[in-house]
Amino acid sequence: MIADNNNGKYLYAIITCPDACEFSTRGIGERGDAVYTINHGRLAAVVSDSPIVEYDSNRRNMMAHALVLEEVMGNFDILPVRFGTIAPDLETVRERLLAHRYDEFTQLLGQMQGRIELGLKAFWYQDAVFKEVVQENEPIRLLRDSLVNKSPSQSHFERIRLGEAVEKALREKRLGDEEAILSRVCPHVCKTRTNKTNGERMVLNAAFLVDRAKVPAVDDVVRKLDDDFGNRLLFKYVGPAAPYNFVKIAVAWAVRGAA
């Protein structure tokens, strides 16, 4: 059901869908707005009516956006639209988005056909990795032991040297662990994107574009990784998710206003 045009149209995704469609999940904003499609040819934008406001990227709003995508993904391949994108009206969506970028979206949807995103993060157990560094590196071990009975003021430069040596060893170990993980996962996926890691303990922050039929194989690889490295690495595995790391639709005409 399409409501009046006094509202803007909040966009969630672009899909291949020649016929009008409505979804059961309610739209962002807690008004209970229906989620439905605006169609053009074989393409459709998944939208809900919304005041033209700037939505805070808080948990409630992000979850509302994600729940819509979750339902849509159950039946369609999707091109996710950037969170908070609002078109001023229905015709803008149809003419300036779907019609204007019809060939681009059709090609991208072909690339996403039958595929979803999986995410994998890996973290060291801190005590375990520092013990490894000391055990595997004799110069670090000897320098550490030499500082046991020295005050910080007496050993300032030695402690700097020790910190630099440990940092270098951790960088090398991180690269080795990342390579070991990716070498097992990558043969089963279409594309891989490694994102920036945060903090000393994070080893890997990766996203994978995966054929739906290959998801069980990736699941098995991650389970085996946990079996083999679970004493020193904590894995966080999420998905299926919208392929945000591989395609994200942004539009220049999005209208924003004050809440």
Side-chain angles (χ1 to χ4, degrees):
M1 180 180 64
I2 300 177
D4 67 83
N5 287 330
N6 291 327
N7 288 291
K9 307 299 175 185
Y10 183 96
L11 287 107
Y12 301 92
I14 308 298
I15 61 176
T16 301
C17 179
D19 301 315
C21 184
E22 188 169 324
F23 301 90
S24 60
T25 306
R26 300 291 90 181
I28 194 170
E30 300 186 309
R31 302 192 315 180
D33 290 292
V35 176
Y36 57 92
T37 58
I38 296 174
N39 300 73
H40 177 79
R42 293 189 57 78
L43 295 181
V46 179
V47 307
S48 62
D49 293 325
S50 168
I52 299 175
V53 298
E54 184 169 358
Y55 285 99
D56 292 331
S57 55
N58 56 37
R59 178 176 174 80
R60 180 179 59 202
N61 289 334
M62 296 293 284
M63 182 63 70
H65 185 100
L67 287 174
V68 171
L69 292 184
E70 183 178 316
E71 180 183 353
V72 177
M73 284 176 57
N75 295 290
F76 298 94
D77 300 314
I78 73 169
L79 304 178
V81 177
R82 189 185 303 273
F83 173 84
T85 300
I86 305 174
D89 52 47
L90 182 149
E91 286 306 314
T92 299
V93 176
R94 182 174 286 140
E95 299 301 326
R96 295 178 60 188
L97 183 65
L98 296 177
H100 182 64
R101 300 173 67 176
Y102 192 90
D103 291 343
E104 173 194 353
F105 292 159
T106 299
Q107 182 180 21
L108 287 171
L109 280 163
Q111 295 172 12
M112 296 298 113
Q113 185 173 0
R115 294 172 175 174
I116 51 86
E117 181 176 310
L118 299 173
L120 181 64
K121 296 180 181 180
F123 302 82
W124 284 318
Y125 290 112
Q126 191 164 5
D127 291 344
V129 72
F130 278 104
K131 286 179 181 177
E132 287 179 16
V133 166
V134 172
Q135 291 168 358
E136 296 168 2
N137 193 307
E138 185 176 9
I140 288 177
R141 186 168 64 253
L142 292 174
L143 182 55
R144 181 206 61 177
D145 292 345
S146 73
L147 300 175
V148 170
N149 295 317
K150 293 183 180 179
S151 69
S153 61
Q154 293 174 320
S155 57
H156 175 72
F157 293 107
E158 289 92 340
R159 292 177 188 276
I160 291 176
R161 282 172 45 214
L162 178 60
E164 291 173 344
V166 169
E167 185 177 348
K168 181 175 182 292
L170 288 174
R171 281 199 304 269
E172 293 172 353
K173 187 171 286 291
R174 180 177 285 107
L175 288 172
D177 285 346
E178 177 184 301
E179 183 178 349
I181 296 167
L182 292 178
S183 68
R184 297 199 192 188
V185 179
C186 286
H188 303 280
V189 308
C190 304
K191 291 183 180 180
T192 300
R193 177 172 176 176
T194 54
N195 297 310
K196 182 179 178 181
T197 57
N198 298 305
E200 293 183 350
R201 292 180 52 235
M202 183 179 282
V203 175
L204 177 71
N205 182 11
F208 307 103
L209 187 65
V210 185
D211 287 330
R212 291 179 187 268
K214 292 289 188 70
V215 171
V218 179
D219 292 347
D220 287 342
V221 168
V222 175
R223 277 193 290 269
K224 188 64 164 58
L225 284 168
D226 190 53
D227 290 341
D228 292 345
F229 298 103
N231 63 325
R232 57 189 298 276
L233 285 170
L234 171 68
F235 293 98
K236 293 187 177 180
Y237 181 48
V238 297
Y244 272 112
N245 280 279
F246 302 96
V247 58
K248 185 184 295 185
I249 303 304
V251 291
W253 45 256
V255 177
R256 291 183 178 274

